[in-house]
Amino acid sequence: MNSIPVDLSRLTGLLCVAAPEPKTDLDGEQRKDRDGNHLWVTGLAVRRAGTRKASVIDVQTSAQPEGVTEGSPVGVTELDVSLWEIEGRHGLSYRAASIYPVRPRTDNRAGSSSAAVPGPPQRERGGGKATGS
């Protein structure tokens, strides 16, 4: 299965609509990636810049997104999409290196506000876990 990087500069309004939760198998056990890290899934609303319509996607990460809550604006690093097909069913699977909260900031100019995007969490070597700022 080949993954395709998503151009995040073409997306706007990333919002958590389903808080991070463990990704589980049919027996209720938390799934792991190839490196043995537990997988997490977070529901995000995304909108292509310049359009009105939003889509909701489930994004998997190998580290639990810290500080991400339902209804909060978020940032994403290294978002990839993969096409899958199993027994006649098919779909898209999204995976990211990290999902992190974005705090709105107000500008000093009257009536002006903008979103400040903190630097993305840094990944540790070897474990694949993200550490936040």
Side-chain angles (χ1 to χ4, degrees):
M1 173 166 47
N2 292 330
S3 63
I4 302 166
V6 175
D7 182 0
L8 291 167
S9 69
R10 297 183 63 187
L11 299 178
T12 184
L14 286 107
L15 185 71
C16 175
V17 294
E21 61 185 49
K23 182 161 179 77
T24 57
D25 61 20
L26 295 175
D27 296 326
E29 297 293 320
Q30 189 169 8
R31 294 184 63 191
K32 294 181 180 182
D33 65 12
R34 291 181 180 139
D35 296 326
N37 300 309
H38 286 104
L39 292 174
W40 296 84
V41 62
T42 307
L44 302 182
V46 297
R47 185 167 48 94
R48 190 169 37 176
T51 66
R52 180 167 167 77
K53 185 177 178 183
S55 298
V56 175
I57 60 173
D58 284 333
V59 179
Q60 292 182 64
T61 54
S62 293
Q64 181 177 8
E66 305 256 345
V68 173
T69 58
E70 196 168 304
S72 66
V74 295
V76 177
T77 59
E78 299 178 32
L79 182 63
D80 290 332
V81 62
S82 300
L83 179 63
W84 59 267
E85 184 174 355
I86 300 174
E87 297 177 0
R89 299 179 307 130
H90 60 277
L92 299 173
S93 177
Y94 295 89
R95 185 171 180 95
S98 65
I99 300 171
Y100 56 94
V102 172
R103 311 253 188 273
R105 114 182 143 202
T106 55
D107 205 342
N108 289 337
R109 293 176 285 165
S112 171
S113 71
S114 61
V117 179
Q122 299 298 313
R123 294 176 75 179
E124 293 178 5
R125 299 251 180 223
K129 288 196 162 207
T131 58
S133 53

